[in-house]
Amino acid sequence: MTLTEKLPTEFRQRCEGIATEQRSLLNLRAFEPLPADLLAAQLNAIILTPEQISTLDPSVVAVLLDSDQWSAGIINQSPLWIVNNPRHTPARRESNLMHEFGHLLLRHKIVRFDPNTGLPLRRQSDEDEATYLGGCLQIPRRGLLWAVQRQMTLTEIAVHFNTSEEMVQFRSNVTAVNIR
Ligand SMILES: [Zn+2]
């Protein structure tokens, strides 16, 4: 099942609304790129890499720094600390962080870790919602319409919004805004 099939229309509209609200708080229009670091500052979030977390065991830091298998996570809510995988590309970093801001703005409960496996106990519905809102934050539907009206290519749109081309394609699919 695709995300648009799983998530109701009202929820998806709410996400566009949240994306618009966050942009307007930063005096940004729908067609302007929203850098994750700018939104982080607005949300009082501190972005850390594993070695910057003094409470982590050095062996855990080494494992995290050696792995591509994780992207980002909220490790503390007050103050808000988000750990991010420094191995990922800049475009991936943007989407990782926007996904975490999605959890935050939707007031999802912080993910707990299974004490036996050490793996995060994620709820799939929360993950789907955060991914959807993260995409809206990166490329609002109105921003995508603007780009299409200017006849920008998929690659140009990705560069403009500082996203991956996969993200542009995903946003095109879920918003039914077709890129030429
Ligand atoms: Zn998540």
Side-chain angles (χ1 to χ4, degrees):
M1 211 162 41
T2 65
L3 268 191
T4 42
E5 289 164 337
K6 283 197 263 186
L7 300 169
T9 307
E10 309 81 75
F11 173 79
R12 291 186 276 132
Q13 283 170 351
R14 189 178 146 218
C15 287
E16 295 288 348
I18 293 171
T20 301
E21 188 184 8
Q22 292 302 314
R23 271 191 159 65
S24 66
L25 288 170
L26 287 161
N27 291 318
L28 290 178
R29 311 272 297 273
F31 58 82
E32 291 178 284
L34 169 55
D37 284 321
L38 205 58
L39 188 52
Q42 167 155 282
L43 298 171
N44 290 316
I46 311 283
I47 312 300
L48 302 164
T49 52
E51 71 271 27
Q52 292 175 310
I53 306 163
S54 57
T55 51
L56 274 186
D57 190 273
S59 63
V60 175
V61 171
V63 168
L64 290 175
L65 287 177
D66 197 41
S67 168
D68 289 323
Q69 301 304 308
W70 65 283
S71 51
I74 297 171
I75 50 168
N76 197 57
Q77 244 165 349
S78 178
L80 182 61
W81 289 354
I82 297 175
V83 63
N84 179 65
N85 192 334
R87 293 170 64 101
H88 288 177
T89 62
R92 183 79 191 275
R93 178 182 188 271
E94 291 291 306
S95 72
N96 292 346
L97 293 176
M98 290 305 200
H99 173 99
E100 298 307 323
F101 299 145
H103 281 305
L104 195 76
L105 291 165
L106 292 167
R107 302 183 191 288
H108 290 159
K109 277 191 196 150
I110 194 162
V111 171
R112 304 203 176 282
F113 288 82
D114 186 325
N116 298 314
T117 64
L119 296 171
L121 296 164
R122 294 200 166 96
R123 289 179 47 184
Q124 192 53 48
S125 60
D126 283 1
E127 296 312 313
D128 293 342
E129 290 185 3
T131 295
Y132 197 86
L133 178 52
C136 292
L137 290 165
Q138 288 200 278
I139 313 175
R141 185 173 192 277
R142 281 172 47 220
L144 190 57
L145 278 171
W146 168 87
V148 167
Q149 278 158 8
R150 288 173 61 103
Q151 304 198 317
M152 288 166 76
T153 64
L154 189 131
T155 305
E156 287 168 343
I157 299 170
V159 169
H160 175 78
F161 286 104
N162 199 13
T163 70
S164 65
E165 295 190 5
E166 290 76 17
M167 176 58 78
V168 179
Q169 190 59 61
F170 168 73
R171 289 295 291 151
S172 170
N173 296 344
V174 297
T175 56
V177 174
N178 293 318
I179 300 159
R180 69 184 166 98

